[in-house]
Structures are given as structure tokens and as C-alpha cells.
Amino acid sequence: MRKLIALLALIPLFSGCAEMQQVINQLPQTGILSQAEIASGLKEALNNGIEKQVVKLTNVDGFYKNEMVKILLPEELKKVDKGLRDIGMSKLADEGLKVLNRAAEDAVKTSTPIFVDAIKGMSFTDAKNILLGNDTSATTYLQNSTSTALYGKFNPVIKNSFAKVGADKVWTNIITKYNSIPLIKKVNPDLTDYTTNKALEGVFKMIAVEEKDIRNNFASRTSDLLKRVFALQDKK
């Protein structure tokens, strides 16, 4: 009887959230989570994704040796790569690919404050929709909340990183060598924009890895709060 009274007392907290109420009704009577706890659990899960996965991308070879996110050449430059290899310049072609990834690794170091602001700004409605969504709903929330700001932050950093890691010189050399090959159509790609967008793709791809793990692997729910919050998802 006490548990029933407690449940009825908490129902107004979820008024207007029919889906969440349906989930709560299905839970075993072991205690009800407050709105604040649910939001905190989702924020913890997102923070875990950033700490465990995004930070990996900032290490040397974080992009370059991770096949999930490794930045490959855009379509228009694949012919450049082939052209260089055909004339015995494979080493230069390999270096060109590596420095694009180095610039992305450098840029991702600037992402954490933007993610932190987005996570702090999460409302209960955001948390409810994420919890009841699919395996990448949290990642999608971050993507929608931060992509514009991240692009604005990444783009100048990548431009500077090209100079820092020597990518500008390598690619000037590559394009000059390629454009000097007889009978080819000359190229002049915007590698800063391309690398920026690929770096963003890589970041969200790795956050999605952690989100799916927390949603589907009970052992990855490393705190009591995560276990209790994602039990709601398990019961949906």
C-alpha cells in the first residue's frame, strides 16, 4: 500500500508525458526515478561517450589508425592519389593522407567545452525523448545541438593545424606534382572544409559507439544511476 501511495504521489511529475508514464507503469516497484535523476543519467551517459571515445580521437593516430573514422581522400582526389602512385610517388601520397588525419586529431581537442554546454542545456523533455528513442538518440541530440558550433570551432583549427602538422606544404607539393602530369585535368580542392566535415563525422560516430554499448550492454552501465535510468529504457 505504501508503494502504491508513493507511486500515485509522483505521477503528477510526469503529467503530459504519456510515453514515460507507460514505461513507469511497467517498472517493478523498486522505487521511482525523479525527472532530475533521469536527466542526470542521460547526461552521465553522454559524458561517458565523450570521455571514453572522443578523447581517443585526439591522440596520435586517433583517426589515422581507427578504421571506423579514418579520413580517406575525397572522390576528386582519388585520381590524384592514383596518379602519384603511377609515377612512383606512393610515399608522398601516403603522407598526404596521414596529415589530413593529423589535422583532425588536433582539431577535436577543442570540442569538449561545446559538448559540455550542450549536455548542461539538456531538458527533461530532451532526456525523455532520448531515453525512449533508438540506439543513437543521444548522439543525434548532440549532433543537432553542436554541429554548427563545432564546425565553426573545427574549421579554423584545422586550417591552422594544416600548417602545424605540415599538411599545407605536403598538399601544395602533391597538387603541384599532380597538376604537372601531362594531359590531366588540374585540381584545386578545399581540403579544410572536407577535413572539418570528416572530423565531425568521426566524433559523432565514436559517441554513438559508447551510447549503443550503454544501451545494450548492462556491464557498461558503470554507476548505480546509469543502471536505474537505463532500466526504464529496457522496459519500454
Side-chain angles (χ1 to χ4, degrees):
M1 179 61 73
R2 290 180 182 177
K3 291 179 181 178
L4 178 60
I5 292 171
L7 176 61
L8 291 173
L10 286 164
I11 282 176
L13 291 173
F14 297 95
S15 59
C17 300
E19 288 178 312
M20 182 62 80
Q21 187 61 57
Q22 184 179 5
V23 171
I24 290 171
N25 289 340
Q26 294 173 356
L27 287 176
Q29 296 302 306
T30 56
I32 300 299
L33 289 166
S34 69
Q35 294 183 13
E37 286 175 310
I38 292 170
S40 293
L42 267 296
K43 291 176 183 181
E44 182 178 336
L46 284 171
N47 279 319
N48 283 357
I50 292 165
E51 291 174 7
K52 291 182 180 180
Q53 301 296 343
V54 177
V55 171
K56 292 178 183 177
L57 298 177
T58 67
N59 297 328
V60 173
D61 291 329
F63 273 85
Y64 189 63
K65 290 188 177 180
N66 182 340
E67 292 302 321
M68 285 188 65
V69 297
K70 182 178 181 179
I71 298 175
L72 303 177
L73 294 178
E75 199 62 39
E76 67 179 307
L77 289 185
K78 289 180 181 177
K79 60 185 178 182
V80 175
D81 184 83
K82 183 178 184 304
L84 291 177
R85 295 181 192 281
D86 287 347
I87 61 174
M89 303 190 71
S90 296
K91 185 175 181 180
L92 181 59
D94 290 339
E95 185 64 16
L97 188 60
K98 182 182 289 186
V99 291
L100 293 184
N101 286 272
R102 288 285 181 270
E105 290 157 10
D106 198 39
V108 172
K109 295 173 185 175
T110 67
S111 66
T112 301
I114 294 172
F115 284 134
V116 168
D117 286 344
I119 293 170
K120 285 181 179 177
M122 183 190 295
S123 67
F124 173 67
T125 299
D126 293 327
K128 174 186 72 86
N129 291 335
I130 289 168
L131 191 63
L132 297 175
N134 60 35
D135 277 358
T136 58
S137 289
T139 304
T140 300
Y141 165 79
L142 272 188
Q143 198 163 5
N144 292 338
S145 302
T146 65
S147 286
T148 300
L150 285 174
Y151 185 95
K153 181 71 75 172
F154 279 18
N155 194 261
V157 171
I158 284 176
K159 187 174 182 178
N160 291 332
S161 293
F162 277 174
K164 181 179 174 181
V165 303
D168 52 353
K169 292 180 180 178
V170 170
W171 274 97
T172 296
N173 192 17
I174 286 174
I175 298 302
T176 300
K177 295 284 187 186
Y178 178 76
N179 285 343
S180 68
I181 299 173
L183 303 178
I184 58 91
K185 183 179 179 181
K186 291 178 171 51
V187 296
N188 185 27
D190 183 352
L191 286 174
T192 301
D193 177 71
Y194 174 77
T195 306
T196 300
N197 283 312
K198 286 299 179 182
L200 288 172
E201 285 180 23
V203 164
F204 293 118
K205 191 172 287 186
M206 295 310 297
I207 292 174
V209 167
E210 185 65 20
E211 180 181 358
K212 287 179 182 178
D213 195 37
I214 290 175
R215 286 185 183 274
N216 297 299
N217 183 359
F218 187 81
S220 295
R221 300 172 189 176
T222 53
S223 72
D224 180 62
L225 181 59
L226 284 178
K227 290 172 184 175
R228 290 189 292 128
V229 168
F230 280 92
L232 289 170
Q233 171 216 262
D234 296 339
K235 294 286 184 179
K236 74 178 181 179

